[in-house]
Amino acid sequence: METGDPLVSADWLLANLEAPDLRVVDATWFAPFTNPPETGRQAWQRGHIPKAVHFDIDDIADTSSHLPHMLPDAVKFSSRVRRLGLGDGNRIVIYDQNNFFAGARAWWMFRVMGHAEVLVLDGGLNAWVEAGGALDDMPPITGERHFTPRVRTDLVMDAKGLEALVGTAKTTIIDARPDGRFFGREPEPREGLPSGHIPGSVNLPGSQLITPQGRMKPAAELKKLFKDPAAPTVTTCGSGVTAAITALALARLGNFDVAVYDGSWTDWASDPSRPIAKAPA
């Protein structure tokens, strides 16, 4: 059973960086429509926390799917993270350089694969630098480590499962996209995809969970944003990345059982047979 705060501070990481069981992961990722274009690997190569390996959610993914960065099967995930020197017995601290964007996604992926000893650096690389942490631009030397997957299917939602929940009061569905896209006032960034939302879902943009300094809001402030943090919940967004930030926030409030809709709006809205709402939920 997972308990405690899923986030750690930069000061904590500075004090524990040399612990023999600790591994650091840079999961920086930028959306394909970012302007100017940049990749997470390029950002990692410019500078990263010493010993941090780069975790690419576009590579550690089901690349056979037409949807972006879908969760891979356990075999592929295990193979990829073994090569990064991540595995059984490791405490893993994940960060990114983009306000939890893919750091939370990677945190969720490890937990889906059964690795509960995973934490997220609050404030990411900026917090590390502000705390006096050094940067490195050299790849770390790592050896392979065995990773035993124990897949938690309860943390993953697909369209079929979500269709069964629409119109019921069994589960809260939280959409992390900006409200303009949620209510259909603004277009989706992916060409040809209609905006709107899953009927019955509620809107809580991921940006509302983060302070202007790039830290996650304290538990007391987060609690005010959720009607019932302990309720069974599915989170969704544009393509399953920002939704993980919502799951991370709810874990901070003690709910570690939140499921992420992996395909999210890109999956839902690409099927014209699925209902789309635009009026307030």
Short mmCIF file of all heavy atoms in Angstrom, two decimals, residues 23 25 53-56 59-60 72-88 90 92 94 106 109-110 113 115 142-149:
data_model
loop_
_atom_site.label_atom_id
_atom_site.label_comp_id
_atom_site.label_asym_id
_atom_site.label_seq_id
_atom_site.Cartn_x
_atom_site.Cartn_y
_atom_site.Cartn_z
N ARG A 23 18.17 6.15 -7.66
CA ARG A 23 18.37 6.41 -9.08
C ARG A 23 17.56 7.64 -9.46
O ARG A 23 16.42 7.81 -9.00
CB ARG A 23 17.94 5.22 -9.94
CG ARG A 23 18.70 3.94 -9.66
CD ARG A 23 20.16 4.02 -10.06
NE ARG A 23 20.86 2.75 -9.84
CZ ARG A 23 21.45 2.41 -8.70
NH1 ARG A 23 21.41 3.25 -7.66
NH2 ARG A 23 22.06 1.25 -8.59
N VAL A 25 15.92 10.05 -12.56
CA VAL A 25 15.42 9.94 -13.93
C VAL A 25 14.96 11.32 -14.41
O VAL A 25 14.15 11.98 -13.74
CB VAL A 25 14.25 8.94 -14.01
CG1 VAL A 25 13.58 8.99 -15.38
CG2 VAL A 25 14.73 7.53 -13.69
N VAL A 53 19.47 9.55 -15.76
CA VAL A 53 19.29 8.98 -17.09
C VAL A 53 18.06 9.63 -17.72
O VAL A 53 17.19 10.15 -17.02
CB VAL A 53 19.12 7.45 -17.04
CG1 VAL A 53 20.39 6.79 -16.54
CG2 VAL A 53 17.93 7.05 -16.16
N HIS A 54 17.99 9.58 -19.05
CA HIS A 54 16.83 10.18 -19.73
C HIS A 54 15.79 9.12 -20.04
O HIS A 54 16.09 8.09 -20.63
CB HIS A 54 17.25 10.89 -21.02
CG HIS A 54 16.09 11.56 -21.70
ND1 HIS A 54 15.65 11.21 -22.97
CD2 HIS A 54 15.24 12.53 -21.27
CE1 HIS A 54 14.61 11.95 -23.28
NE2 HIS A 54 14.34 12.75 -22.28
N PHE A 55 14.55 9.40 -19.64
CA PHE A 55 13.40 8.52 -19.86
C PHE A 55 12.52 9.19 -20.90
O PHE A 55 11.93 10.26 -20.65
CB PHE A 55 12.65 8.33 -18.54
CG PHE A 55 11.49 7.38 -18.57
CD1 PHE A 55 11.63 6.10 -18.04
CD2 PHE A 55 10.26 7.76 -19.08
CE1 PHE A 55 10.54 5.22 -18.03
CE2 PHE A 55 9.17 6.89 -19.08
CZ PHE A 55 9.32 5.62 -18.56
N ASP A 56 12.41 8.60 -22.08
CA ASP A 56 11.68 9.19 -23.20
C ASP A 56 10.31 8.53 -23.33
O ASP A 56 10.22 7.36 -23.72
CB ASP A 56 12.49 9.01 -24.49
CG ASP A 56 11.86 9.68 -25.70
OD1 ASP A 56 10.71 10.14 -25.61
OD2 ASP A 56 12.53 9.74 -26.75
N ASP A 59 9.59 6.93 -26.66
CA ASP A 59 10.32 5.69 -26.97
C ASP A 59 9.85 4.53 -26.09
O ASP A 59 9.65 3.42 -26.58
CB ASP A 59 11.82 5.91 -26.79
CG ASP A 59 12.61 4.63 -26.98
OD1 ASP A 59 12.58 4.08 -28.11
OD2 ASP A 59 13.26 4.18 -26.01
N ILE A 60 9.67 4.80 -24.82
CA ILE A 60 9.18 3.77 -23.90
C ILE A 60 7.66 3.79 -23.98
O ILE A 60 6.94 4.28 -23.11
CB ILE A 60 9.70 4.02 -22.47
CG1 ILE A 60 11.23 4.13 -22.48
CG2 ILE A 60 9.27 2.88 -21.53
CD1 ILE A 60 11.84 4.47 -21.14
N PRO A 72 3.47 1.06 -22.97
CA PRO A 72 3.91 -0.18 -23.61
C PRO A 72 3.53 -1.39 -22.77
O PRO A 72 3.07 -1.25 -21.62
CB PRO A 72 5.43 -0.02 -23.64
CG PRO A 72 5.73 0.77 -22.41
CD PRO A 72 4.57 1.74 -22.27
N ASP A 73 3.72 -2.57 -23.33
CA ASP A 73 3.49 -3.76 -22.51
C ASP A 73 4.64 -3.94 -21.53
O ASP A 73 5.67 -3.25 -21.60
CB ASP A 73 3.29 -5.00 -23.38
CG ASP A 73 4.50 -5.37 -24.23
OD1 ASP A 73 5.65 -5.04 -23.85
OD2 ASP A 73 4.30 -5.99 -25.29
N ALA A 74 4.47 -4.86 -20.59
CA ALA A 74 5.45 -5.03 -19.52
C ALA A 74 6.82 -5.48 -20.05
O ALA A 74 7.85 -5.12 -19.48
CB ALA A 74 4.92 -6.04 -18.50
N VAL A 75 6.82 -6.25 -21.13
CA VAL A 75 8.09 -6.74 -21.68
C VAL A 75 8.92 -5.58 -22.20
O VAL A 75 10.12 -5.47 -21.90
CB VAL A 75 7.83 -7.78 -22.79
CG1 VAL A 75 9.15 -8.16 -23.47
CG2 VAL A 75 7.15 -9.01 -22.22
N LYS A 76 8.31 -4.71 -22.99
CA LYS A 76 9.05 -3.58 -23.54
C LYS A 76 9.48 -2.62 -22.44
O LYS A 76 10.62 -2.13 -22.44
CB LYS A 76 8.22 -2.84 -24.59
CG LYS A 76 8.97 -1.69 -25.23
CD LYS A 76 8.22 -1.07 -26.38
CE LYS A 76 9.04 0.03 -27.05
NZ LYS A 76 8.34 0.61 -28.22
N PHE A 77 8.58 -2.33 -21.52
CA PHE A 77 8.92 -1.41 -20.44
C PHE A 77 10.12 -1.94 -19.65
O PHE A 77 11.08 -1.22 -19.40
CB PHE A 77 7.73 -1.22 -19.50
CG PHE A 77 7.97 -0.19 -18.43
CD1 PHE A 77 7.69 1.14 -18.65
CD2 PHE A 77 8.49 -0.56 -17.19
CE1 PHE A 77 7.92 2.10 -17.66
CE2 PHE A 77 8.73 0.38 -16.20
CZ PHE A 77 8.44 1.71 -16.43
N SER A 78 10.05 -3.22 -19.28
CA SER A 78 11.14 -3.82 -18.51
C SER A 78 12.46 -3.76 -19.26
O SER A 78 13.51 -3.44 -18.70
CB SER A 78 10.81 -5.27 -18.16
OG SER A 78 9.62 -5.35 -17.41
N SER A 79 12.41 -4.07 -20.55
CA SER A 79 13.63 -4.05 -21.36
C SER A 79 14.26 -2.67 -21.40
O SER A 79 15.47 -2.52 -21.25
CB SER A 79 13.29 -4.53 -22.78
OG SER A 79 14.40 -4.38 -23.64
N ARG A 80 13.42 -1.66 -21.61
CA ARG A 80 13.93 -0.29 -21.72
C ARG A 80 14.52 0.21 -20.40
O ARG A 80 15.59 0.82 -20.38
CB ARG A 80 12.83 0.65 -22.19
CG ARG A 80 12.42 0.46 -23.65
CD ARG A 80 13.53 0.89 -24.61
NE ARG A 80 13.03 1.08 -25.95
CZ ARG A 80 12.92 0.13 -26.87
NH1 ARG A 80 13.27 -1.12 -26.55
NH2 ARG A 80 12.45 0.39 -28.08
N VAL A 81 13.80 0.00 -19.30
CA VAL A 81 14.30 0.55 -18.04
C VAL A 81 15.50 -0.24 -17.52
O VAL A 81 16.37 0.33 -16.84
CB VAL A 81 13.18 0.65 -16.97
CG1 VAL A 81 12.07 1.56 -17.45
CG2 VAL A 81 12.64 -0.71 -16.55
N ARG A 82 15.58 -1.52 -17.85
CA ARG A 82 16.78 -2.30 -17.48
C ARG A 82 18.02 -1.66 -18.09
O ARG A 82 19.06 -1.55 -17.43
CB ARG A 82 16.65 -3.74 -17.97
CG ARG A 82 15.90 -4.66 -17.05
CD ARG A 82 16.31 -6.12 -17.29
NE ARG A 82 16.29 -6.48 -18.69
CZ ARG A 82 15.26 -7.04 -19.32
NH1 ARG A 82 14.14 -7.28 -18.65
NH2 ARG A 82 15.32 -7.36 -20.60
N ARG A 83 17.91 -1.27 -19.36
CA ARG A 83 19.06 -0.65 -20.03
C ARG A 83 19.46 0.67 -19.39
O ARG A 83 20.61 1.12 -19.52
CB ARG A 83 18.73 -0.41 -21.51
CG ARG A 83 18.48 -1.68 -22.31
CD ARG A 83 18.12 -1.31 -23.73
NE ARG A 83 17.49 -2.41 -24.44
CZ ARG A 83 16.96 -2.31 -25.65
NH1 ARG A 83 16.98 -1.14 -26.29
NH2 ARG A 83 16.39 -3.35 -26.23
N LEU A 84 18.49 1.32 -18.73
CA LEU A 84 18.78 2.58 -18.04
C LEU A 84 19.33 2.34 -16.63
O LEU A 84 19.62 3.30 -15.90
CB LEU A 84 17.51 3.43 -17.95
CG LEU A 84 16.94 3.92 -19.29
CD1 LEU A 84 15.62 4.67 -19.06
CD2 LEU A 84 17.93 4.82 -20.01
N GLY A 85 19.48 1.07 -16.25
CA GLY A 85 20.00 0.76 -14.92
C GLY A 85 18.97 0.90 -13.82
O GLY A 85 19.32 1.10 -12.66
N LEU A 86 17.69 0.79 -14.18
CA LEU A 86 16.61 0.96 -13.22
C LEU A 86 15.94 -0.38 -12.99
O LEU A 86 15.60 -1.08 -13.94
CB LEU A 86 15.59 1.96 -13.75
CG LEU A 86 16.13 3.31 -14.21
CD1 LEU A 86 15.05 4.11 -14.91
CD2 LEU A 86 16.71 4.09 -13.05
N GLY A 87 15.73 -0.73 -11.72
CA GLY A 87 15.11 -2.02 -11.48
C GLY A 87 14.79 -2.29 -10.03
O GLY A 87 14.67 -1.38 -9.20
N ASP A 88 14.69 -3.56 -9.73
CA ASP A 88 14.28 -4.01 -8.41
C ASP A 88 15.24 -3.48 -7.34
O ASP A 88 16.46 -3.48 -7.51
CB ASP A 88 14.27 -5.54 -8.36
CG ASP A 88 13.31 -6.15 -9.37
OD1 ASP A 88 12.49 -5.40 -9.93
OD2 ASP A 88 13.39 -7.37 -9.60
N ASN A 90 15.54 -0.44 -6.33
CA ASN A 90 15.88 0.98 -6.49
C ASN A 90 14.77 1.88 -5.97
O ASN A 90 13.59 1.61 -6.17
CB ASN A 90 16.09 1.34 -7.96
CG ASN A 90 17.39 0.83 -8.54
OD1 ASN A 90 17.47 0.58 -9.73
ND2 ASN A 90 18.41 0.66 -7.72
N ILE A 92 13.47 5.38 -6.97
CA ILE A 92 13.60 6.20 -8.18
C ILE A 92 12.99 7.58 -7.93
O ILE A 92 11.86 7.69 -7.45
CB ILE A 92 12.90 5.51 -9.37
CG1 ILE A 92 13.58 4.17 -9.67
CG2 ILE A 92 12.91 6.41 -10.60
CD1 ILE A 92 12.87 3.33 -10.71
N ILE A 94 12.05 10.98 -9.99
CA ILE A 94 11.83 11.46 -11.35
C ILE A 94 11.63 12.97 -11.34
O ILE A 94 11.00 13.52 -10.44
CB ILE A 94 10.58 10.79 -11.96
CG1 ILE A 94 10.77 9.26 -12.01
CG2 ILE A 94 10.29 11.33 -13.36
CD1 ILE A 94 9.55 8.50 -12.48
N ALA A 106 5.81 9.66 -16.14
CA ALA A 106 6.77 8.58 -15.89
C ALA A 106 6.54 7.97 -14.51
O ALA A 106 6.63 6.74 -14.33
CB ALA A 106 8.20 9.11 -16.01
N MET A 109 3.73 5.62 -14.89
CA MET A 109 4.11 4.43 -15.65
C MET A 109 4.85 3.42 -14.78
O MET A 109 4.57 2.21 -14.84
CB MET A 109 4.99 4.82 -16.85
CG MET A 109 4.24 5.58 -17.93
SD MET A 109 5.32 6.23 -19.23
CE MET A 109 5.85 4.70 -20.03
N PHE A 110 5.79 3.89 -13.97
CA PHE A 110 6.49 2.97 -13.08
C PHE A 110 5.53 2.30 -12.12
O PHE A 110 5.63 1.09 -11.84
CB PHE A 110 7.59 3.71 -12.30
CG PHE A 110 8.90 3.77 -13.02
CD1 PHE A 110 9.25 4.89 -13.75
CD2 PHE A 110 9.78 2.70 -13.00
CE1 PHE A 110 10.46 4.96 -14.43
CE2 PHE A 110 10.99 2.74 -13.67
CZ PHE A 110 11.34 3.88 -14.39
N MET A 113 3.56 -0.44 -13.66
CA MET A 113 4.38 -1.63 -13.82
C MET A 113 4.78 -2.26 -12.49
O MET A 113 5.59 -3.18 -12.44
CB MET A 113 5.63 -1.30 -14.63
CG MET A 113 5.32 -0.90 -16.06
SD MET A 113 4.51 -2.24 -16.99
CE MET A 113 3.93 -1.34 -18.44
N HIS A 115 6.21 -0.83 -9.70
CA HIS A 115 7.34 -0.28 -8.94
C HIS A 115 6.83 0.88 -8.10
O HIS A 115 6.66 1.99 -8.60
CB HIS A 115 8.46 0.17 -9.87
CG HIS A 115 9.77 0.39 -9.17
ND1 HIS A 115 10.74 -0.58 -9.08
CD2 HIS A 115 10.25 1.47 -8.51
CE1 HIS A 115 11.76 -0.11 -8.41
NE2 HIS A 115 11.49 1.13 -8.04
N THR A 142 25.94 3.44 -16.55
CA THR A 142 25.00 2.56 -15.85
C THR A 142 25.16 1.13 -16.34
O THR A 142 25.56 0.89 -17.48
CB THR A 142 23.54 3.00 -16.12
OG1 THR A 142 23.28 2.94 -17.53
CG2 THR A 142 23.29 4.41 -15.62
N GLY A 143 24.85 0.20 -15.46
CA GLY A 143 24.81 -1.20 -15.84
C GLY A 143 23.37 -1.67 -15.81
O GLY A 143 22.52 -1.05 -15.17
N GLU A 144 23.08 -2.73 -16.53
CA GLU A 144 21.71 -3.23 -16.54
C GLU A 144 21.30 -3.75 -15.17
O GLU A 144 22.13 -4.26 -14.42
CB GLU A 144 21.55 -4.34 -17.59
CG GLU A 144 21.55 -3.83 -19.02
CD GLU A 144 20.89 -4.81 -19.98
OE1 GLU A 144 20.28 -5.79 -19.50
OE2 GLU A 144 20.99 -4.59 -21.19
N ARG A 145 20.04 -3.60 -14.86
CA ARG A 145 19.51 -4.08 -13.59
C ARG A 145 18.19 -4.78 -13.85
O ARG A 145 17.40 -4.35 -14.67
CB ARG A 145 19.31 -2.92 -12.61
CG ARG A 145 18.95 -3.37 -11.20
CD ARG A 145 18.83 -2.19 -10.27
NE ARG A 145 18.57 -2.60 -8.89
CZ ARG A 145 19.50 -2.79 -7.98
NH1 ARG A 145 20.77 -2.59 -8.30
NH2 ARG A 145 19.19 -3.17 -6.75
N HIS A 146 17.95 -5.87 -13.16
CA HIS A 146 16.72 -6.63 -13.39
C HIS A 146 15.51 -5.84 -12.90
O HIS A 146 15.52 -5.25 -11.82
CB HIS A 146 16.78 -7.97 -12.66
CG HIS A 146 15.59 -8.84 -12.94
ND1 HIS A 146 15.37 -9.43 -14.16
CD2 HIS A 146 14.53 -9.18 -12.16
CE1 HIS A 146 14.25 -10.13 -14.11
NE2 HIS A 146 13.72 -9.98 -12.92
N PHE A 147 14.46 -5.83 -13.72
CA PHE A 147 13.21 -5.18 -13.35
C PHE A 147 12.09 -6.21 -13.45
O PHE A 147 11.87 -6.81 -14.50
CB PHE A 147 12.92 -4.01 -14.30
CG PHE A 147 11.67 -3.24 -13.93
CD1 PHE A 147 11.75 -2.11 -13.13
CD2 PHE A 147 10.42 -3.64 -14.39
CE1 PHE A 147 10.60 -1.40 -12.78
CE2 PHE A 147 9.27 -2.94 -14.05
CZ PHE A 147 9.37 -1.81 -13.25
N THR A 148 11.39 -6.42 -12.34
CA THR A 148 10.29 -7.38 -12.30
C THR A 148 8.96 -6.65 -12.39
O THR A 148 8.57 -5.96 -11.43
CB THR A 148 10.33 -8.21 -11.01
OG1 THR A 148 11.60 -8.83 -10.86
CG2 THR A 148 9.24 -9.28 -11.03
N PRO A 149 8.26 -6.73 -13.51
CA PRO A 149 6.97 -6.03 -13.61
C PRO A 149 5.86 -6.77 -12.87
O PRO A 149 5.80 -7.99 -12.89
CB PRO A 149 6.71 -6.02 -15.11
CG PRO A 149 7.41 -7.24 -15.63
CD PRO A 149 8.62 -7.43 -14.75
#
